[in-house]
């Protein structure tokens, strides 16, 4: 099977080329079959690799294809790394990605850019697979930049709407800010380790003599890499692009938020776990930024009324929990949450798409209600996804969130308390979304109500499969205290063994069984309380959020997302625009342009004067020649 590894990214690339070149001639059915089959083929190969790894028939290996860059003794090869982490990520990308492709066949059926859409989706998956397969930071960075490009193409897919184009540009530009940090981190890696290959860097890092200079270098490298991760994975302060990414078609939202782009930062830090384990300062920063992002986004989600915006801020919040896991050293817990989040967040976004599809494009939950009878499959699956993200056992989100919170408690009870507060808000705003959308009476127009219908099988089948995974996905890493065997922790043991040993040098604070039960009980308890409050407010009392512009007090602040976009507009965009206007009007037009034009004017005026000398009189020419010769000789006498 190792001989077929190259097919994993190549199949989606071929799908992109075929659909891209034939987007005007291929039928929609054929385009969807090509696009979906390409992802399915990659998934099948990834499954085979996974099975080979767990039964030891396939070894962890690096596959070198050719020398990509060679400068003197410095060499970067185009190579893939096949190990537990890369295969795990490939399973998520291709597995969830396949169902998103399948769903898209129904959701985008009437769109005029259908074939082009599938081409872009395939290209997106290709770059994401390249990102996780690369055996060095350069190949990762190529995939990293590629998914940034594809996010621009897909967020602005409906480019006739200028606001969607603005959202695409915003995503592209903000990600470039983070990417600069990643790039500078790579330069520092070369300066300190002389290589960008994982194997070389991590081996040298393990045997590194950590003196003051070494700590400073590792800390600098990891902080720069983390800055790159904050851009891709939408952490404070580079998170504002992700909610605006809702401008793209709903399947794009699902792909970005669940299976691809936003998980890139988590993967990069998990891949570089040895470096981060050697930088406790960076780990602390990651934990603080993660929990701050989780709480910040969760509060915003409490007051959002666009069904996709609620889910978008939910994603930002859940990514914060993943970074919290990374920051407290729970690398397995963070990746576990990546997996469970991929299941239930893809389910929730596709479920939201099913609602939007049924209600003629409506996205405001204030204009919904009473849909559970009209959309039974969508409701049932959306309910499962909501329970999973709320952290109610035995659904998937409970196990992964609990693992992160338990580790956070070991490091700092304050981090745990803030994490529980975020979980409480998550449960509330998600059930608020569920109740306002599916319960009560329908609040939309009569025309919308007349056309309410369940989505076709191509859309509901992915919902049902993802709902099943949202139920059983948590059993991959059930803690020992609940009778599990922590399969995922055992699977990742070879990847995180060295970093775990480094972290253990700083001491380990093991929780007693009674404390673990208490932490679980508190987490589930606050989630249940939130559900009850949401039920009373939005079902029993049938409350509906107020109209735009009528929010008061702090509710108005979080409804307007803490005015972060306005703040960025004031402190970044307006000063840059003012500086641009100054340089244009004063420096360029009044300075450079006038200087250049002045040379031109002098040349023209001089030419006009010299032209008068050309009289056509031979005697005058001879006179000038004699005078010139006399001047030459005269000057020569004084030199």
């Amino acid at each position: 099977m190792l001989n077929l590894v190259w097919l994993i990214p190549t199949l989606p690339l071929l799908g992109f080329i075929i659909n891209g070149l034939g987007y005007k001639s291929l039928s929609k059915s054929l385009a969807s079959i090509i696009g979906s089959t390409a992802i399915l083929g990659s998934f099948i190969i990834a499954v085979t690799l996974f099975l080979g790894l767990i039964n030891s028939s396939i070894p962890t290996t690096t596959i070198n294809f050719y020398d990509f860059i060679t400068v003197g003794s410095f060499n970067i090869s185009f190579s893939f790394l096949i190990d537990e982490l890369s295969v795990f990520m490939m399973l998520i990308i291709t597995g969830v990605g396949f169902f998103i492709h399948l769903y898209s066949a129904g959701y985008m059926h009437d769109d005029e850019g259908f074939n082009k859409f599938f081409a872009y989706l395939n290209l997106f998956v290709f770059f994401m697979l390249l990102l996780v397969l690369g055996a060095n930071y350069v190949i990762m960075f190529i995939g990293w930049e590629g998914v940034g490009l594809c996010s621009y193409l897909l967020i602005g897919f409906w480019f006739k709407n200028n606001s969607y184009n603005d959202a695409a540009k915003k995503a592209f530009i903000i990600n470039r800010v983070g990417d600069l940090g990643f790039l500078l981190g790579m330069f520092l890696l070369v300066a300190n380790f002389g290589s960008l290959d994982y194997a070389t860097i991590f081996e040298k890092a393990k045997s590194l003599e950590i003196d003051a200079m070494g700590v400073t270098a590792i800390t600098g490298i990891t902080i720069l890499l983390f800055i790159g991760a904050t851009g891709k994975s939408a952490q404070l302060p580079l998170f504002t692009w992700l909610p605006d990414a809702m401008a793209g078609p709903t399947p794009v939202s699902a792909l970005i938020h669940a299976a691809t782009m936003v998980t890139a930062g988590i993967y990069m830090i998990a891949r570089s776990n040895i470096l981060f384990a050697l930088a406790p300062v960076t780990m602390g920063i990651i934990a603080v930024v993660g929990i701050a992002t989780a709480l910040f986004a969760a509060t915003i989600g409490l007051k959002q009324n666009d069904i996709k915006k609620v889910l978008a801020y939910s994603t930002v919040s859940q990514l914060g929990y993943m970074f919290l896991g990374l920051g407290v050293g729970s690398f397995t817990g963070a990746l576990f949450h990546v997996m469970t989040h991929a299941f239930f967040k893809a389910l929730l976004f596709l479920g939201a798409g099913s609602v939007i599809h049924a209600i003629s494009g409506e996205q405001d939950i204030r204009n919904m209600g009473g849909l559970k009878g009209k959309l039974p499959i969508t409701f049932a699956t959306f309910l499962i996804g909501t329970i999973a993200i709320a952290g109610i056992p035995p659904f998937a989100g409970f196990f992964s969130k609990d693992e992160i919170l338990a580790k956070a408690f070991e490091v700092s009870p304050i981090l745990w308390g803030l994490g529980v507060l975020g979980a409480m808000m998550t449960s509330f705003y998600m059930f608020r979304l569920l109740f306002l959308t599916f319960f009560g009476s329908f609040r939309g127009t009569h025309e919308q109500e007349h056309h309410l219908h369940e989505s076709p099988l191509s859309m509901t089948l992915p919902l049902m499969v993802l709902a099943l995974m949202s139920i059983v996905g948590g059993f991959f890493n059930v803690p020992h205290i609940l009778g599990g065997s922590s399969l995922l922790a055992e699977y990742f043991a070879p990847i995180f063994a060295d970093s775990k040993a480094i972290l253990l040098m700083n001491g380990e604070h093991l929780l007693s069984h009674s404390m673990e039960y208490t932490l679980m009980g508190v987490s589930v308890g606050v989630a249940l309380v939130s559900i009850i409050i949401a039920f009373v407010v939005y079902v029993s009392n049938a409350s509906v959020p107020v109209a735009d512009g009528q929010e008061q007090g702090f509710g108005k602040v979080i409804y307007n997302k803490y005015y972060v976009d306005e703040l960025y507009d004031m402190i970044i965009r307006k000063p840059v625009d003012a500086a641009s206007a100054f340089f244009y009007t004063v420096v360029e037009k009044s300075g450079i342009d006038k200087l250049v034009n002045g040379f031109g004017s002098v040349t023209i005026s001089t030419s006009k004067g010299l032209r008068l000398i050309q009289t056509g009189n031979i005697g005058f020419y001879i006179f000038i020649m004699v005078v010139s010769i006399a001047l030459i000789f005269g000057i020569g006498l004084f030199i």
Side-chain angles (χ1 to χ4, degrees), residues 97-400:
F98 168 70
F99 287 108
I100 293 173
H101 277 69
L102 185 61
Y103 177 95
S104 300
Y107 188 85
M108 298 292 291
H109 187 267
D110 296 326
D111 195 281
E112 60 183 358
F114 183 92
N115 294 4
K116 189 187 297 182
F117 181 77
F118 267 86
Y120 289 166
L121 284 185
N122 274 188
L123 185 64
F124 204 144
V125 173
F126 161 73
F127 277 121
M128 191 64 196
L129 289 170
L130 198 64
L131 188 155
V132 301
L133 270 170
N136 56 65
Y137 284 100
V138 172
I139 305 302
M140 179 193 282
F141 191 71
I142 293 171
W144 189 276
E145 292 299 297
V147 294
L149 166 65
C150 292
S151 69
Y152 171 79
L153 296 173
L154 286 166
I155 294 169
F157 184 75
W158 289 323
F159 57 87
K160 294 180 181 179
N161 186 321
N162 281 331
S163 64
Y164 294 175
N165 292 332
D166 291 340
K169 288 185 285 187
K170 184 176 183 178
F172 193 79
I173 293 169
I174 289 179
N175 270 276
R176 298 291 76 71
V177 176
D179 295 351
L180 176 61
F182 189 1
L183 197 59
L184 292 174
M186 290 168 60
F187 291 157
L188 277 184
L189 283 170
V190 174
N192 286 275
F193 294 98
S195 175
L196 287 171
D197 288 332
Y198 300 148
T200 303
I201 292 172
F202 300 157
E203 194 61 37
K204 287 184 178 180
K206 282 189 293 185
S207 59
L208 193 64
E209 292 278 341
I210 300 297
D211 52 15
M213 187 174 293
V215 170
T216 302
I218 294 291
T219 301
I221 290 168
T222 51
I223 287 177
L224 288 170
L225 293 179
F226 173 59
I227 291 172
T230 60
K232 276 289 178 290
S233 296
Q235 297 296 285
L236 288 170
L238 303 178
F239 73 97
T240 56
W241 70 270
L242 191 56
D244 286 11
M246 299 303 95
T250 301
V252 174
S253 304
L255 193 63
I256 290 176
H257 287 246
T260 56
M261 188 162 167
V262 297
T263 63
I266 314 293
Y267 168 78
M268 185 260 282
I269 293 177
R271 173 60 73 192
S272 311
N273 61 88
I274 295 174
L275 297 177
F276 283 87
L278 291 168
V281 172
T282 307
M283 295 280 280
I285 293 172
I286 293 172
V288 171
V289 171
I291 194 61
T293 303
L295 291 174
F296 191 82
T299 56
I300 296 175
L302 294 172
K303 285 291 185 177
Q304 298 307 301
N305 298 316
D306 184 305
I307 188 171
K308 289 174 67 177
K309 281 288 178 72
V310 176
L311 296 177
Y313 282 103
S314 166
T315 298
V316 177
S317 182
Q318 296 304 306
L319 288 167
Y321 279 104
M322 296 174 205
F323 275 90
L324 172 63
L326 295 171
V328 297
S330 181
F331 296 109
T332 298
L335 290 169
F336 188 21
H337 204 53
V338 166
M339 181 185 74
T340 59
H341 180 262
F343 296 146
F344 58 68
K345 188 49 63 69
L347 169 61
L348 290 168
F349 265 113
L350 298 186
S354 181
V355 171
I356 295 167
H357 179 267
I359 205 170
S360 306
E362 180 63 66
Q363 293 186 199
D364 194 326
I365 57 178
R366 293 172 294 190
N367 299 325
M368 298 180 187
L371 298 181
K372 64 178 181 178
K374 298 289 186 179
L375 311 174
I377 298 176
T378 301
F379 166 67
T381 53
F382 201 94
L383 174 62
I384 291 170
T386 304
I387 295 173
I389 194 174
I392 306 299
F395 290 71
F398 164 74
F399 295 101
S400 57

Side-chain angles (χ1 to χ4, degrees), residues 280 283-288 323-331 403-417 503-504 506-511 515 519:
M283 295 280 280
I285 293 172
I286 293 172
V288 171
F323 275 90
L324 172 63
L326 295 171
V328 297
S330 181
F331 296 109
E403 184 167 343
I404 291 173
L405 291 179
K407 185 65 177 178
F409 187 85
E410 293 179 21
V411 175
S412 169
I414 295 175
L415 289 176
W416 171 83
L503 292 172
L504 287 177
N506 299 322
E508 185 177 19
H509 308 284
L510 296 177
L511 299 177
M515 180 57 72
L519 297 181

